[in-house]
């Protein structure tokens, strides 16, 4: 088995550059960015470290190979030629899932069946068996076709990386943890700056900010499917987890506040903050956005207000955005960052954003409106 592996960190559209930066910050180079994915070369230890540390990626996949295929024969032969038995143990479960976009081979069930058959044939040769029981660790294979280019990968993550383990309970339209972390990173928030989310809902933005602020690895309190793989020793996982504890800055003080008009969702936010073990770092309070005020001269507002996507909500949301404009602009030395799908946001808010970025919240196309306030003066040390 080779010491070097190719890994793919998958990303929501618009977040690829942030995921790539996170990968580089972990010390991995040879990073290639494409739509929806970041590919890089690393060692087996990287499977542990990237799963534990990546805040904005969806999952980490092990790349087995890629090639062009326009016929089922080609797909079969080229898949069979890959070194499956070097990665997948004899007793493993290896189901195949797939997707096909703009490719000659558009039938996903057929592609899945052919890849499964090719992997079995490849492994039969190595293990000298005719049949695999598939009762051991899970190696979920994905065959992805894009414009006839086939990429074959194995999932190392299990449930997506947005499942940090702290949010069993959610409000009606929760913001994914990975996107919340991206909004904070894009705002260039620094842990010594006050952060307020006046629409905090079940607490995702304040909780993710607390994890970032104390450099707590987002995957620290959950398990990953590759922890059962014989390819990666238990010691490797232990070492990677020990590193998360060594690098956490638990004594760093933070000023993070979340407010919401709905006491019911705030209860969820408090439970979630407790589960994430950041309840002492995040101040959550019931308060309408109209009453937002602070004595702090500088800070950042980061929020995900209602979008008015549902029938009958548009007028209410229009009113809310006008009110936000009045309330936020009173904090004229603050910066504010607002994500919404509403096409008229700037007009209603009454001010053009300093910068706008296209993102996706689930399947909803959104813009991230960034309003930059003046820089706080450097403190005299």
């Amino acid at each position: 088995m080779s010491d070097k592996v190719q890994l793919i960190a998958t990303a929501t559209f618009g977040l690829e550059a942030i995921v790539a930066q996170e990968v580089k910050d972990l010390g991995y180079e040879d990073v290639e960015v494409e739509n929806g994915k970041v590919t890089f070369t690393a060692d087996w230890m990287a499977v542990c470290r990237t799963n534990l540390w990546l805040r904005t990626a969806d999952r980490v996949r092990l790349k087995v190979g890629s090639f062009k295929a326009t016929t089922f024969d080609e797909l079969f032969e080229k898949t069979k030629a890959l070194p499956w038995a070097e990665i997948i143990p004899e007793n493993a479960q290896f189901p195949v899932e797939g997707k096909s976009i703009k490719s000659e081979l558009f039938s996903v069930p057929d592609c899945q069946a052919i890849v499964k058959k090719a992997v079995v044939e490849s492994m039969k040769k190595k293990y000298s068996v005719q049949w695999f029981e598939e009762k051991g660790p899970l190696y979920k294979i994905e065959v992805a076709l894009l414009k006839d280019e086939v990429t074959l990968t194995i999932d190392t993550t299990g449930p997506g990386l947005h499942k940090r383990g702290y949010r069993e309970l959610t409000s009606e339209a929760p913001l994914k943890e990975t996107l919340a972390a991206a909004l904070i990173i894009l705002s260039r928030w620094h842990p010594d700056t006050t952060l307020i989310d006046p629409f905090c809902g079940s607490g995702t933005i304040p909780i993710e900010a607390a994890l970032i602020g104390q450099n707590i690895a987002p995957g620290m309190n959950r398990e990953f499917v590759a922890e059962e793989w014989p390819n990666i020793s238990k010691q490797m996982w232990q070492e990677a987890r020990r590193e998360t504890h060594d690098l956490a800055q638990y004594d760093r003080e933070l000023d993070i506040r979340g407010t919401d008009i709905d006491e019911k969702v705030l209860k969820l936010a408090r439970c979630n903050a407790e589960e994430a073990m950041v309840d002492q770092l995040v101040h959550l309070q019931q308060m309408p956005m109209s009453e937002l005020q602070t004595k702090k001269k500088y800070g950042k507002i980061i929020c995900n207000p209602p979008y008015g996507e549902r029938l009958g909500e548009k007028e209410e949301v229009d009113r809310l955005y006008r009110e936000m404009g009045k309330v936020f602009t009173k904090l004229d030395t603050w910066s504010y960052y607002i994500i919404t799908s509403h096409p008229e946001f700037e007009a209603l808010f009454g001010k053009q954003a300093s910068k706008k970025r296209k993102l996706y919240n689930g399947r909803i196309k959104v813009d991230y409106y960034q309003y930059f306030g003046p820089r706080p003066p450097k403190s005299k040390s």
Side-chain angles (χ1 to χ4, degrees):
M1 192 172 75
S2 168
D3 291 343
K4 289 282 173 203
V5 289
Q6 267 209 306
L7 297 176
I8 295 174
T10 63
T12 303
F13 179 76
L15 299 186
E16 297 92 344
I18 302 168
V19 172
Q21 191 54 55
E22 283 198 87
V23 168
K24 287 173 190 167
D25 290 346
L26 285 171
Y28 303 113
E29 286 160 11
D30 186 25
V31 177
E32 194 184 320
V33 183
E34 293 169 78
N35 275 348
K37 64 181 185 180
V38 174
T39 307
F40 57 103
T41 307
D43 52 10
W44 283 96
M45 181 66 160
V47 173
C48 315
R49 295 184 71 233
T50 51
N51 273 302
L52 286 163
W53 282 102
L54 292 179
R55 296 182 192 279
T56 60
D58 291 333
R59 58 180 61 249
V60 178
R61 296 186 177 279
L62 174 68
K63 184 177 173 182
V64 185
S66 59
F67 49 81
K68 196 175 165 78
T70 53
T71 67
F72 287 134
D73 278 351
E74 222 177 340
L75 177 64
F76 179 82
E77 292 302 337
K78 288 180 176 177
T79 300
K80 188 180 155 191
L82 293 170
W84 295 100
E86 284 182 23
I87 303 163
I88 301 177
E90 191 181 337
N91 67 336
Q93 302 171 58
F94 51 102
V96 179
E97 55 183 29
K99 57 184 183 188
S100 177
I101 301 163
K102 296 178 181 168
S103 297
E104 289 279 319
L105 304 177
F106 58 83
S107 166
V108 173
D110 285 338
C111 291
Q112 288 172 188
I114 284 158
V115 165
K116 178 75 179 188
K117 193 177 169 195
V119 175
V120 167
E121 287 305 313
S122 169
M123 285 171 61
K124 265 186 192 176
K125 219 166 158 185
K126 169 77 189 281
Y127 292 118
S128 308
V129 295
Q130 286 305 302
W131 183 74
F132 295 95
E133 211 175 354
E134 297 202 41
K135 286 192 171 169
L138 179 64
Y139 287 70
K140 192 188 273 185
I141 298 168
E142 184 191 69
V143 49
L145 290 96
L146 174 63
K147 296 177 183 167
D148 301 325
E149 185 69 25
V150 179
T151 306
L152 288 154
T153 58
I154 301 172
D155 175 40
T156 73
T157 302
L161 287 176
H162 70 282
K163 293 196 183 294
R164 315 287 207 218
Y166 66 74
R167 196 169 76 171
E168 294 308 311
L169 308 159
T170 58
S171 54
E172 228 173 87
L175 186 70
K176 257 191 180 175
E177 293 84 338
T178 42
L179 180 56
L183 300 183
I184 296 157
I185 292 166
L186 284 169
S187 79
R188 298 180 186 271
W189 173 72
H190 193 271
D192 63 7
T193 308
T194 299
L195 187 155
I196 299 177
D197 176 2
F199 302 95
C200 75
S202 55
T204 314
I205 290 173
I207 292 168
E208 289 297 317
L211 296 175
I212 290 169
Q214 288 201 339
N215 201 35
I216 297 168
M220 193 192 256
N221 296 314
R222 59 159 286 182
E223 290 171 351
F224 303 96
V225 73
E227 288 186 64
E228 299 303 315
W229 291 10
N231 320 53
I232 306 168
S233 68
K234 294 276 180 249
Q235 284 85 343
M236 242 185 229
W237 281 103
Q238 282 164 3
E239 192 184 322
R241 286 189 183 276
R242 195 161 42 242
E243 183 185 44
T244 66
H245 290 283
D246 292 346
L247 293 174
Q249 297 173 333
Y250 295 120
D251 51 357
R252 188 188 258 168
E253 286 186 20
L254 304 170
D255 184 8
I256 298 169
R257 306 174 204 178
T259 64
D260 203 284
I261 198 163
D262 185 345
E263 181 55 46
K264 206 164 76 184
V265 298
L266 278 171
K267 260 188 186 158
L268 291 183
R270 289 187 188 104
C271 289
N272 291 336
E274 212 172 309
E275 277 296 313
M277 295 185 278
V278 296
D279 47 317
Q280 300 303 308
L281 307 172
V282 173
H283 177 70
L284 299 165
Q285 183 186 349
Q286 185 183 13
M287 192 170 81
M289 184 277 305
S290 56
E291 291 176 21
L292 177 70
Q293 53 183 325
T294 173
K295 291 191 172 80
K296 292 283 172 89
K297 188 154 168 58
Y298 298 98
K300 290 185 192 271
I301 292 170
I302 303 176
C303 63
N304 174 41
Y307 302 166
E309 290 275 328
R310 290 192 193 146
L311 280 174
E313 283 181 354
K314 193 177 176 308
E315 280 178 30
E316 206 180 312
V317 164
D318 287 359
R319 253 196 321 274
L320 176 72
Y321 289 173
R322 285 192 191 98
E323 193 170 19
M324 277 168 71
K326 288 175 192 151
V327 174
F328 288 17
T329 45
K330 280 181 196 161
L331 304 171
D332 57 353
T333 49
W334 278 55
S335 298
Y336 14 97
Y337 301 81
I338 302 134
I339 186 172
T340 176
S341 65
H342 199 305
E344 304 299 314
F345 175 76
E346 285 167 308
L348 294 162
F349 188 72
K351 191 178 179 185
Q352 209 173 347
S354 316
K355 195 176 176 184
K356 227 164 68 164
R357 188 176 183 127
K358 282 195 189 326
L359 296 171
Y360 276 86
N361 182 2
R363 294 185 172 207
I364 303 170
K365 201 171 171 184
V366 290
D367 281 298
Y368 192 34
Y369 296 91
Q370 303 168 56
Y371 294 85
F372 306 144
R375 284 191 172 191
K378 285 219 163 82
S379 55
K380 295 185 178 80
S381 47

